[in-house]
Every structure is written in C-alpha cells, then in structure tokens.
Amino acid sequence: MAEQGEDNRLELQGIIGFNGHVPSGLISHPDREHLIYPLGCTVIIENLSSRKQQFLQGHTNNVSCVAASRSGRYLASGQVTYMGFKADILLWDYGRREACAKLTLHKVKVEALAFSPNDLYLVSLGGQDDGSVVVWNVAKREAICGSPASSLSSGHATTIIFANNSDDVFMTGGNGTLRVWDVDLPNRKMRPTECQLGQMKRVVTCLQVAEDDSCFYCGTSSGDILTINTKSKLLSSFAPQKGKFSLGVTALRLLKTGELLVGSGDGKLALCKGPNYKAAKTVQLQGSVTSISLRGQGHQFFVGTGGAQIYRFSYPEFKEELIATCHSEAINDIAFPFGTSELFATCSKNDIRVWHTATHKELLRITVPNMTCLAIDFMRDGKSIISAWNDGRIRAFMPESGRLMYCIENAHSMGVTAIAATSDCKRIVSGGGEGQVRIWEISKETQRLVQSMKEHKSSVTCIKLKGNNRECLTASSDGTCIIWDIVRFTRLQMVLSNTLFRCVCYHPEEFQFVTSGTDRKVGYWEVFDGSAIRELEGSKSGAINGMDICDQGAHFVTGGDDKLVKVWDYNEGEVTHVGIGHSGNITRLKICPLSKYIISVSTDGAILCWDYPYGLR
C-alpha cells in the first residue's frame, strides 16, 4: 500500500559534502572546467564557474578511490563492500556522465586506481583483504592480467601510479613495499621489480613520476621523500634529513618547474625544491592534506583536506582560497529560522554551522572543540541559536557573530539530547540522556530552572511545542511519548509502543500527532486521549530517524536508515515521492518554512537539498 510513489523521484537540487578521507579523491578534470570528488557512494562533478553539480550514482557502498584519465574521456571509481563480497570498479564515460562498465574482481575494497597515459589501460589495486593488482583493457572492458601486489614478507600496497610516457610501466608502493611493474601484453603477464632501499624501512603513502620517467618520488609516513631511479630501481636520495614533514607526507604533486607540492598530515601544504626539499613556502590548512590536483599546467591547483575543506591556490601567490566546506562528522540536527528559507543551521561534532540555502555557502561556524552538539533550534525572534551538547550544557549563540550569549551549566546529567523554545522566547524545554524534561525561564541576564519532570526512563529524542505554549510533546527511546502540561507541569497523556521513538510531529491543527522510530512504523495518535488512530509501514529496512510535516498538514516527510527521503500524503497514508541520494543513514530532515525545499542530513556529513514537490511555486 505504502509504496505507490516509488516511481516519482524527488529532484535533487544540490549536495553540500565532500569525503576528504579518500586519498587523492579531489580531481581537477583535464577540461579545466570541473572538479570531481567523492561523497559516500556518489561521485560528484561540479562546474567551477556555475557551481552546478552532476551526480554519478551506481556504487552500492562508499567510494574508496577515484581516477580520471589523462585525456579526460574516462573516470573510474572503486568502492568498499562487506567481508566476503566483491568490490566493484565503475568505469564512467565522462562526456555522457554515465557508467560504461562494471569491473568486478577485487574482494572487500578497491584501494587505488590509475589510468595509463594514452587511456589504454586501467590498473587497480585491491585492499588488504585482496592484495592483488589487476590491469584492465579500457576499450574491451576486461581484465588482462593480475598478480599479488606485494611479496608475502612485506606489507600491503596502498598507492599506484603509471609512468608518464609508457603504457606498460607502473609503480606501486605501500607498507615496506615499492615495486616497478612491466606489463607484457602479448603473454598477458606482469613482471614486478622490487626497488632496493638498503636498510631503510618506509611506508610509502603517495607517488609521483618525473616528466621524462627518469625517476619517481615517494612520500612516506615518516615525513620524508624518497627519489628512486626508474632504470636501476635504486634509491638515489631521500630528504629532508632534518625537519621532516609532521605526521607524514599524505599528498604529493610534481609541478612543471620540477618543484614538488607536499601535503602533510598536520595540514601543512609546502612548495619544495630539490635536492633537499626545504619548504620555500608553506600554508597551514584545516585537516590533513589528502588531495592535491593541478588545474591545467599547475598555474592553479586545488587541495582537499580530511576536515572536508576544498581550497583553491594560484601558483604565483601561493595563498589559499576556501571554495567549499562541509561537515566531516555525522550531522545530528537541522533547523530553520522562523518564516524564512534563506538560511539553515546544522550541528555536528565540534561545531554548529549556518548555511545559505541557495548557494550552499557556509556563512558562520561556531566551534566548541571536542564536544558534540546533539540538537539545535532558532529562537522565534531570530536573536539566538540555542543548542544542546553532550557535556550537559545548553549554549545560546548570536546568529550573526556566533558569540556565546549564555551557557546553562549541568542542564542534564547525561548530556542534553533534545531542545525546543516557546514562541514568546521566554522559555526553553530541554530533554536529557537520563530521561528528564526540564523547563527553563530565559531572560537577558538570567536563566532559571522552573521545573524538572521525570517520567521517561531513557533519553529524550525529540521535543515539539504546541502553538499556545501550554503543552509539549516529548518522544523517548524508552518507547513512550508524553504530552505535558507545561503551565501546571503535569503529564496529560502518554502513549506506549514497542519501539525506541526517534521523532514526533504535531499535525498543524494540533488534534493529532505522528510518531516514528526503530520499529519502522509511522503511528498516528489522538492528542485528546492518546489513542492510536492508524499505523503505516514506514520503511522496509532500518529505523526512521527524522520526520517533518508541512505547514498545511497535507504532506509529511520521513528519512532514516534505509537512506531514502519519503514524501507522504497525510490523509491517504501513502508515499507519493522518494528521494534517492544519501549514502549515510539520514538523521534528520526538514521542509523549509516556505515549502520550496526539503533538506536532509546524514551520518556521513552530507547535506542534501531536494525540490519539495508540493511547494508554493
């Protein structure tokens, strides 16, 4: 009954997100117009001038590596999967923006990919549970030959690169292994040669080949750079001897001038000249540098970091320009200011961020180090953002400057898990990990605890207030929802269900409310006496974590662990539209106040903006 809307797809407007932990995941396409980067199981192609995004979808799990061919005709991406299963490589036709082949051989994870200089071959490296290297024929879409990537006595290979002028020589590097491979096509064989490092033991993290293939450079986790002669396979030099790159070399790129761009684990990007690789210029970035990609000849280049930031540099100035940011941890909540869709706020570990809806630009970041913000709300007058934190404090911030207005210490003993404010801005209702619901009186100078109500046995997951500010509705993971009178501080109604409630919504006319949680059911209840009206199958798999109802009450949206955004007809109880695009579990979602967009957030740090199908156009 509830699956009629499967054919009606929600239109995806845009994604705010970038998985900065994929090594060399940020690629500047050879057409110089587009950036390519992974997020969850999607590969995003973004136009640099118009910021328009296109999405390559086809992977069943998170993308672990991305590569572009030198001509730009092809892209390839590999994924991770579960133990015992094969991980796919998808070959994409860049011009048509669609998959042209699925290459399946590796088990569990594809570690790295590289195209040969003339687009003839693709070489892939399996993860530690696979340990093989395979050469694929790009035109025929088939494997030519495969071999174990490293000897039994050494560690796993993790990085791979082709020579610049030959389609049958490539290099692999990893933990205690560094090899140059010759591909013998007529006999379908690969012949590796170990590079001799003498007594040196190194974990190779990234590789670059000189323009004439005479030597290649290896960045290591020890923070130095090895230079290997390609012909003799011998170590010719290693530097810097002193003042190594802190936390290892994590990204490496060779410029036409012979200089190296070196990214390190502590977030520094350095421009280095041989032979001693002393940093001529350095810039400190946020998060470890995981990708450096040149635009054209390298007059401009892009840098991606583990903190999910993308920077643009121009070579002469060597100054960073932040062009994209997003959360690198799971997002716990999303809130809109009253009556406007222009901005919204999200919260995660370490920070709250305010975004501009139309441009996806980050307007403000409020940072509280090492703490996790579990819930946020805008005060109705727009003068403060109130937030619930896992250290048991309620913090309120100015929405323009991000300055702390006040902080309520020890608001709850096991972290504050839910928060809501009355429409007259005089009271805050908060819920805690221990199950208490507390009401606070807020004025400019003081914040006073009015009442603490203990009925729930487990953490409060969601709080919604009635329009007249006299009642509130709380959902808890102990399987109860309670309607409270917050003038007399008594329990009015309680509903019980065999589930951990995750979300609850009043119908705008406030005679019914809707709940959902881990039993995947959407329940309609009567406010007056707490009786169950109806129950719908909300999802085929996984809990429902987020729910929001439109202002007219005709439709509502749900999202959860099945990674689907579903739009429901309230009266019919049927799904009308489905949004497919998330690769992490959806934690919360909201219909914007002007009913133009649905914004959903997930555990992989992604924010997705969808067209709301029943919006006021």
Side-chain angles (χ1 to χ4, degrees):
M1 156 186 133
E3 303 303 330
Q4 282 188 334
E6 295 294 334
D7 310 332
N8 296 339
R9 286 285 183 89
L10 280 179
E11 193 70 35
L12 185 57
Q13 279 292 97
I15 294 182
I16 305 174
F18 161 57
N19 184 354
H21 299 293
V22 175
S24 303
L26 177 71
I27 297 170
S28 171
H29 190 268
D31 69 6
R32 305 187 186 191
E33 299 287 311
H34 294 86
L35 274 184
I36 298 150
Y37 53 91
L39 173 70
C41 34
T42 311
V43 178
I44 299 172
I45 301 172
E46 184 172 323
N47 188 310
L48 281 165
S49 47
S50 70
R51 305 311 295 258
K52 210 156 170 45
Q53 296 171 321
Q54 290 163 300
F55 313 110
L56 302 180
Q57 292 176 326
H59 283 291
T60 55
N61 208 318
N62 288 344
V63 174
S64 54
C65 52
V66 189
S69 66
R70 192 184 283 188
S71 68
R73 267 187 66 196
Y74 297 105
L75 303 178
S77 53
Q79 68 170 60
V80 293
T81 180
Y82 303 103
M83 282 302 272
F85 292 91
K86 297 246 169 113
D88 299 330
I89 300 163
L90 289 180
L91 187 66
W92 307 90
D93 182 316
Y94 178 76
R96 288 163 54 193
R97 304 287 199 269
E98 61 183 36
C100 52
K102 186 194 256 186
L103 313 172
T104 312
L105 264 183
H106 295 292
K107 294 187 192 75
V108 188
K109 182 183 180 184
V110 183
E111 191 75 52
L113 293 164
F115 280 97
S116 70
N118 300 316
D119 295 6
L120 297 180
Y121 312 116
L122 170 70
V123 61
S124 62
L125 192 57
Q128 63 175 19
D129 303 292
D130 180 78
S132 61
V133 59
V134 178
V135 177
W136 306 83
N137 185 320
V138 171
K140 292 184 180 168
R141 327 270 199 248
E142 62 180 28
I144 300 169
C145 50
S147 159
S150 53
S151 64
L152 293 170
S153 58
S154 61
H156 307 290
T158 53
T159 178
I160 194 159
I161 194 166
F162 253 100
N164 283 320
N165 306 305
S166 159
D167 276 317
D168 41 23
V169 176
F170 64 89
M171 297 81 177
T172 61
N175 184 352
T177 172
L178 188 57
R179 289 176 156 192
V180 178
W181 300 74
D182 290 294
V183 183
D184 178 1
L185 274 175
N187 300 320
R188 296 181 83 141
K189 282 206 165 50
M190 293 162 22
R191 299 194 174 83
T193 315
E194 287 285 352
C195 297
Q196 301 304 319
L197 302 184
Q199 292 300 304
M200 203 183 257
K201 294 270 188 291
R202 286 289 185 271
V203 178
V204 176
T205 52
C206 40
L207 296 166
Q208 278 293 288
V209 183
E211 214 172 331
D212 57 358
D213 293 345
S214 59
C215 63
F216 61 98
Y217 305 95
C218 316
T220 72
S221 61
S222 314
D224 50 14
I225 297 164
L226 317 179
T227 310
I228 311 282
N229 185 314
T230 315
K231 218 174 186 146
S232 66
K233 310 334 185 243
L234 295 174
L235 175 69
S236 55
S237 69
F238 70 97
Q241 313 272 353
K242 284 200 179 104
K244 292 182 172 31
F245 295 99
S246 180
L247 300 179
V249 175
T250 50
L252 204 56
R253 191 59 78 218
L254 184 66
L255 295 168
K256 284 269 186 283
T257 56
E259 296 164 303
L260 277 174
L261 287 170
V262 183
S264 56
D266 64 346
K268 283 199 180 67
L269 181 76
L271 181 69
C272 303
K273 284 192 174 77
N276 58 357
Y277 300 125
K278 264 234 146 350
K281 299 174 179 172
T282 54
V283 171
Q284 178 69 50
L285 306 176
Q286 228 177 352
S288 63
V289 177
T290 51
S291 320
I292 304 171
S293 185
L294 306 182
R295 186 178 184 183
Q297 303 294 313
H299 57 92
Q300 228 184 33
F301 52 92
F302 297 93
V303 177
T305 72
Q309 314 256 48
I310 300 176
Y311 297 90
R312 176 166 39 202
F313 281 79
S314 66
Y315 172 72
E317 282 95 55
F318 209 74
K319 271 267 191 299
E320 80 273 22
E321 175 200 350
L322 188 61
I323 59 168
T325 64
C326 58
H327 288 286
S328 56
E329 301 273 347
I331 303 176
N332 297 319
D333 201 4
I334 169 175
F336 279 94
F338 178 70
T340 173
S341 299
E342 278 188 32
L343 321 168
F344 64 91
T346 56
C347 67
S348 172
K349 189 177 174 190
N350 300 329
D351 56 21
I352 296 170
R353 302 187 190 198
V354 178
W355 307 87
H356 187 250
T357 314
T359 60
H360 302 167
K361 278 262 190 299
E362 184 183 315
L363 302 175
L364 174 69
R365 185 181 309 184
I366 302 164
T367 307
V368 181
N370 303 327
M371 298 302 165
T372 302
C373 183
L374 299 173
I376 46 170
D377 199 8
F378 280 92
M379 280 291 201
R380 180 69 73 100
D381 58 12
K383 290 185 177 159
S384 63
I385 300 172
I386 52 171
S387 54
W389 295 78
N390 68 341
D391 60 352
R393 293 185 175 99
I394 295 171
R395 294 179 172 90
F397 300 97
M398 303 264 204
E400 271 114 15
S401 63
R403 233 180 51 239
L404 183 69
M405 286 173 69
Y406 59 82
C407 172
I408 304 175
E409 304 278 339
N410 306 320
H412 288 273
S413 60
M414 289 168 67
V416 190
T417 53
I419 198 161
T422 57
S423 56
D424 58 8
C425 306
K426 290 185 175 154
R427 290 182 166 196
I428 290 176
V429 183
S430 66
E434 74 295 329
Q436 292 197 14
V437 177
R438 292 186 167 180
I439 292 154
W440 308 84
E441 207 158 74
I442 301 298
S443 66
K444 268 196 172 134
E445 283 75 38
T446 59
Q447 301 83 43
R448 185 174 70 85
L449 175 63
V450 182
Q451 189 70 33
S452 183
M453 303 182 291
K454 178 139 182 60
E455 285 269 354
H456 290 301
K457 306 276 188 295
S458 185
S459 63
V460 179
T461 51
C462 190
I463 300 174
K464 288 287 191 302
L465 284 151
K466 212 169 178 175
N468 61 7
N469 296 328
R470 300 179 69 84
E471 290 177 24
C472 83
L473 184 54
T474 61
S476 167
S477 47
D478 62 0
T480 62
C481 280
I482 297 179
I483 301 175
W484 305 92
D485 182 324
I486 54 173
V487 178
R488 296 191 318 233
F489 312 115
T490 55
R491 183 182 95 188
L492 295 176
Q493 290 299 339
M494 174 163 156
V495 304
L496 280 159
S497 188
N498 188 14
T499 177
L500 314 181
F501 283 118
R502 289 278 165 82
C503 43
V504 61
C505 275
Y506 269 116
H507 186 274
E509 291 172 12
E510 297 182 345
F511 53 79
Q512 292 177 359
F513 64 95
V514 195
T515 62
S516 198
T518 52
D519 65 350
R520 314 193 303 278
K521 301 274 194 291
V522 175
Y524 291 46
W525 309 83
E526 197 69 65
V527 170
F528 173 65
D529 59 357
S531 58
I533 301 167
R534 73 194 313 188
E535 197 172 66
L536 307 172
E537 184 73 35
S539 142
K540 287 184 175 149
S541 64
I544 293 178
N545 302 322
M547 176 190 286
D548 195 27
I549 194 161
C550 72
D551 292 338
Q552 294 77 36
H555 298 93
F556 66 97
V557 292
T558 61
D561 293 359
D562 62 355
K563 307 175 178 57
L564 301 174
V565 174
K566 291 183 180 177
V567 183
W568 299 74
D569 185 300
Y570 186 87
N571 293 329
E572 299 295 322
E574 288 181 349
V575 177
T576 63
H577 293 75
V578 174
I580 301 171
H582 274 285
S583 33
N585 296 346
I586 298 171
T587 49
R588 284 278 187 255
L589 75 176
K590 283 270 194 298
I591 301 169
C592 76
L594 301 180
S595 299
K596 280 166 76 173
Y597 310 112
I598 301 166
I599 306 236
S600 54
V601 297
S602 61
T603 51
D604 57 359
I607 302 169
L608 273 68
C609 183
W610 313 82
D611 264 338
Y612 180 55
Y614 304 104
L616 312 167
R617 289 278 173 266

